[in-house]
Amino acid sequence: MSEKNVTENFITQIINADLSSGKYSKVVTRFPPEPNGYLHVGHAKSICLNFGLAQDYQSVCHLRFDDTNPEKESNEYAEAIKNDVRWLGFDWNDKEFHASDYFDQLYQFAEQLIEKKLAYVDDQSPDQIRKNRGDFTTPGVDSPCRNRSVEENMSLFRAMKAGKFADGTKVLRAKIDMQSGNLNMRDPVLYRIRRLQHIKTGDAWCIYPMYDFTHCISDAIEGITHSLCTLEFEDHRPLYDWVLDNVDIDCHPQQIEFSRLNVSYTITSKRKLNQLVESKVVDGWNDPRMSTLSGMRRRGYPPEAIRNFVKDVGVSKKESVISMTVLEDAVRDVLNKTSPRVMSVLRPLKVVIENYPEGKVEMLTGSNHPQDESYGTRKIPFSRVIYVEQDDYKENANRKFFRLTEGREVRLRHAYYITCQEAIKNEEGQVIELRCTYDPESRGGTADGRKVKGTIHWVSAAHAEEVEVRLYDRLFNHPKPASVDHFMDSINQNSLEVIPNALLEPGITAHNEDVVYQFERNAYFKRDRTYEQGKPIFNRVVTMRDSWAKSELQSES
RNA sequence: UGGGAUGUCGCCAAGUGGCUAAGGCACCAGGUUUUGAUCCUGGCAUUCGCAGGUUCGAGUCCUGCCAUCCCAGCCA
């Protein structure tokens, strides 16, 4: 991968052309969330694009809160958004702005439009406005208020601002074209009356500007060069340009649309995400299964992995759904390089090593990372009674099974060769214990040139720590849950499996509480810091590739 | 049926008329390995939504058709 944050795409081509033609000498971008919810993967694409572009062009990206609708906005969301952007690895320095910073200027520009006979106050009800807008095949009908005089419009608009009218009784509209094929151009509403506390301006205003009027002007005021947004705003671009063309401002940013990021088996709609939270299907907005940045953070996804993922996926105008495997691969790629290795047995099966002295404890040395010596080594206690994974024993196993079965010898990771002598069953016929013997000469290497196919992990019974482990799987069964009629019906009922008493080698939970570990031969896990009572909890970040399990699955079917 | 957009391998995505259509993920086959992980090697679109046309030459240009997505908030 190149050192660039953003790989070449149609937007960088536009920027390069603008730079070489001399249209701009620097680029300024912006990430403009409305503080009315939590950020999710989809936002990650916009963040990485806008901030990444700014870095690539030695420039700046503004963080601008699009706070023009006090109805759903809160400071709590704004703080969470800032936290998430920082976590993702980006910084806006002192370039934090709010659309509300421009309310005065916006108001002046609105009066300008009135003076230019390009805006008017409309008395129609929302219902009448909707009816008169027409539809795809029917042209709109001019409002009876459309030809009010400049003076009348001005005094009416000032009266709106002064709070002389009730909420919803009047709006300021742009006078464009009620016949336009683009419904956004059929005299769009510019200002509405709404008596609500605003997170920044309190009750200073009772009229609030609409997105289409605010966004372009905010961009222009801040000197944004390239205003990047998602595809659904394509139809708004003519209006974006109309406003800037008709208002006295000497900056005209270019709006460029790209396709949203959709990931298979996930949902990013704010409404639906909220439904998951409200119905308690998940454990809050930061549930490790959520597509929110806070969820991915809690899950243990490294921010670098998300950045790499977004970069891998690219930027285009094609509507797409990226397979979750691409995200998982990006997560594994980072984790493989950065996670210390550790041994943990999730589903324990007792093993007694008959020829190992009772009461003896050896401290064996294990490397913390097989490919990176800088991670060092650690001491792991070994004794007569250990636990291995239930899956690592199979009765009457064939030659392809490299693990334990009667008479077969395997390597215990970082320890000795053991041979399974006997499996002890309970009354129901389940194997509850293995009797094995070990080869004292086999510690640390092949003693006599004997090779074993399998190496399995283990923990010493007397030393292991009990931990709770949570195994997460995709939240939905359907690859495009957003496309089904009732998305709640496609929820994967097995998206969380709790293992209350897994066993972890000692010495791990006492320190480095936020590192992601690889439980060898198993998966990556990160300590859940939202629960502090009781035994330590580990969330599974992502599984490892498992070609054995895959081939087993195939041979079954 | 109005307006706006998009169609290149299972999923993304390069390609801007001229060598045999990049790359990643997935998948398949081997090799290394004290993780059936990692790593390494090889395979994986005679063809670019379809049909015509222009051209010595077209995924790239033209015409027509088809498919999909977005738009009728005083949301963003």
Side-chain angles (χ1 to χ4, degrees):
Chain A
M1 261 185 237
S2 70
E3 311 79 51
K4 294 268 188 194
N5 291 288
V6 181
T7 43
E8 290 291 299
N9 59 56
F10 78 101
I11 295 174
T12 62
Q13 286 175 3
I14 292 172
I15 292 174
N16 292 149
D18 288 347
L19 254 20
S20 61
S21 75
K23 183 177 178 188
Y24 298 116
S25 57
K26 65 173 172 56
V27 347
V28 183
T29 56
R30 106 267 90 120
F31 172 61
E34 182 185 14
N36 70 343
Y38 296 97
L39 264 24
H40 53 66
V41 254
H43 295 108
K45 180 175 183 176
S46 178
I47 294 168
C48 292
L49 220 208
N50 282 294
F51 282 96
L53 247 17
Q55 282 179 9
D56 288 350
Y57 290 90
Q58 287 89 46
S59 185
V60 291
C61 175
H62 298 183
L63 173 64
R64 182 170 72 233
F65 289 104
D66 232 330
D67 55 350
T68 56
N69 183 6
E71 210 168 311
K72 313 173 281 183
E73 295 159 4
S74 79
N75 279 127
E76 183 202 335
Y77 288 130
E79 287 308 312
I81 287 169
K82 289 197 268 185
N83 190 31
D84 285 345
V85 174
R86 273 192 219 103
W87 174 73
L88 242 199
F90 297 103
D91 187 8
W92 52 93
N93 298 312
D94 59 342
K95 305 296 185 192
E96 178 182 329
F97 302 105
H98 298 77
S100 53
D101 297 340
Y102 314 127
F103 279 175
D104 285 315
Q105 292 168 82
L106 258 356
Y107 177 82
Q108 292 307 322
F109 284 128
E111 287 204 349
Q112 242 179 53
L113 287 180
I114 292 173
E115 278 160 11
K116 295 180 181 182
K117 297 185 168 48
L118 291 173
Y120 62 95
V121 172
D122 197 342
D123 306 337
Q124 293 182 106
S125 69
D127 195 48
Q128 290 171 116
I129 288 179
R130 181 167 42 76
K131 280 203 186 93
N132 289 336
R133 184 157 29 230
D135 56 36
F136 298 148
T137 50
T138 321
V141 175
D142 285 1
S143 163
C145 309
R146 202 169 195 264
N147 291 312
R148 285 222 248 238
S149 68
V150 169
E151 294 68 31
E152 192 182 358
N153 279 321
M154 197 62 88
S155 71
L156 248 19
F157 187 48
R158 287 177 180 165
M160 277 171 65
K161 183 191 181 217
K164 298 287 199 294
F165 305 115
D167 286 12
T169 54
K170 284 185 170 41
V171 290
L172 182 73
R173 287 231 257 172
K175 190 193 281 190
I176 308 180
D177 177 8
M178 290 305 289
Q179 270 79 250
S180 173
N182 181 347
L183 303 206
N184 291 304
M185 299 300 269
R186 321 246 262 225
D187 290 9
V189 170
L190 265 21
Y191 269 89
R192 75 283 215 181
I193 305 172
R194 196 118 303 170
R195 265 160 266 251
L196 286 169
Q197 280 288 314
H198 184 279
I199 55 172
K200 297 290 287 185
T201 61
D203 56 7
W205 296 83
C206 67
I207 57 172
Y208 290 97
M210 300 288 289
Y211 164 87
D212 285 305
F213 183 63
T214 308
H215 204 90
C216 52
I217 292 176
S218 303
D219 282 345
I221 289 172
E222 293 179 19
I224 302 300
T225 54
H226 303 270
S227 179
L228 315 180
C229 62
T230 42
L231 252 26
E232 67 270 28
F233 290 100
E234 277 174 324
D235 287 343
H236 294 244
R237 188 173 359 113
L239 181 50
Y240 184 103
D241 291 330
W242 183 92
V243 172
L244 292 182
D245 284 343
N246 289 296
V247 120
D248 293 337
I249 198 161
D250 57 359
C251 177
H252 194 134
Q254 180 180 3
Q255 173 179 308
I256 305 170
E257 310 85 11
F258 61 92
S259 56
R260 305 182 88 94
L261 172 59
N262 299 300
V263 180
S264 62
Y265 298 100
T266 66
I267 247 167
T268 48
S269 142
K270 229 166 253 176
R271 203 196 94 245
K272 289 173 178 166
L273 252 14
N274 190 51
Q275 212 173 320
L276 293 171
V277 173
E278 291 301 315
S279 62
K280 302 259 193 276
V281 166
V282 296
D283 176 29
W285 284 89
N286 65 346
D287 184 285
R289 291 161 294 182
M290 293 283 270
S291 61
T292 50
L293 294 186
S294 52
M296 295 193 286
R297 175 166 60 238
R298 180 170 163 200
R299 172 98 172 233
Y301 284 11
E304 183 191 1
I306 297 171
R307 280 184 257 127
N308 292 344
F309 165 64
V310 167
K311 183 177 173 177
D312 281 353
V313 153
V315 179
S316 76
K317 293 182 75 107
K318 186 180 154 192
E319 314 253 6
S320 59
V321 181
I322 280 79
S323 350
M324 215 169 49
T325 56
V326 180
L327 211 205
E328 289 180 341
D329 177 75
V331 172
R332 285 192 193 101
D333 188 58
V334 171
L335 258 21
N336 174 52
K337 292 183 187 108
T338 57
S339 295
R341 271 60 179 186
V342 122
M343 292 196 288
S344 171
V345 173
L346 268 34
R347 297 177 177 85
L349 173 60
K350 186 178 178 187
V351 171
V352 177
I353 302 165
E354 294 177 314
N355 60 338
Y356 195 89
E358 269 183 77
K360 180 177 177 182
V361 177
E362 277 181 279
M363 296 306 286
L364 305 177
T365 303
S367 70
N368 294 330
H369 193 119
Q371 276 89 235
D372 189 342
E373 283 184 16
S374 72
Y375 278 68
T377 60
R378 67 188 186 285
K379 293 293 184 187
I380 312 163
F382 182 81
S383 60
R384 188 170 197 263
V385 182
I386 62 173
Y387 285 101
V388 301
E389 211 69 63
Q390 286 170 18
D391 281 354
D392 285 337
Y393 169 80
K394 192 159 140 189
E395 208 173 353
N396 309 125
N398 65 22
R399 221 167 269 121
K400 298 272 274 278
F401 187 76
F402 301 157
R403 288 111 98 145
L404 287 170
T405 189
E406 281 82 344
R408 189 159 300 171
E409 186 174 49
V410 302
R411 157 75 65 189
L412 287 179
R413 172 118 249 233
H414 300 131
Y416 300 96
Y417 284 175
I418 58 167
T419 303
C420 178
Q421 305 299 149
E422 184 193 359
I424 298 175
K425 295 178 179 173
N426 62 11
E427 307 80 57
E428 285 97 57
Q430 297 165 317
V431 175
I432 53 164
E433 182 180 324
L434 261 27
R435 307 298 287 197
C436 296
T437 54
Y438 87 118
D439 175 357
E441 301 302 309
S442 62
R443 175 175 165 180
T446 46
D448 50 10
R450 226 161 61 245
K451 281 264 182 185
V452 291
K453 294 286 275 186
T455 296
I456 66 173
H457 57 98
W458 53 275
V459 293
S460 169
H463 307 272
E465 183 180 2
E466 258 196 29
V467 297
E468 176 174 322
V469 152
R470 297 180 178 176
L471 306 179
Y472 295 101
D473 197 358
R474 52 179 64 136
L475 232 194
F476 295 94
N477 289 317
H478 192 101
K480 295 173 77 173
S483 72
V484 303
D485 289 340
H486 305 286
F487 83 103
M488 295 291 276
D489 292 347
S490 61
I491 285 171
N492 175 11
Q493 299 300 329
N494 305 312
S495 62
L496 169 61
E497 180 184 359
V498 176
I499 298 179
N501 41 22
L503 298 170
L504 176 63
E505 65 169 81
I508 304 305
T509 56
H511 51 82
N512 294 23
E513 293 170 329
D514 289 319
V515 328
V516 177
Y517 288 96
Q518 184 193 97
F519 289 6
E520 284 191 286
R521 298 210 313 132
N522 200 322
Y524 295 93
F525 288 88
K526 177 167 181 264
R527 187 81 181 273
D528 192 316
R529 307 300 298 161
T530 66
Y531 293 88
E532 293 302 338
Q533 68 281 58
K535 45 178 108 154
I537 297 170
F538 282 87
N539 290 322
R540 182 169 72 190
V541 183
V542 65
T543 60
M544 303 220 269
R545 284 200 190 79
D546 190 347
S547 56
W548 165 249
K550 194 188 291 172
S551 69
E552 279 295 273
L553 241 147
Q554 279 173 1
S555 60
E556 275 172 31
S557 58

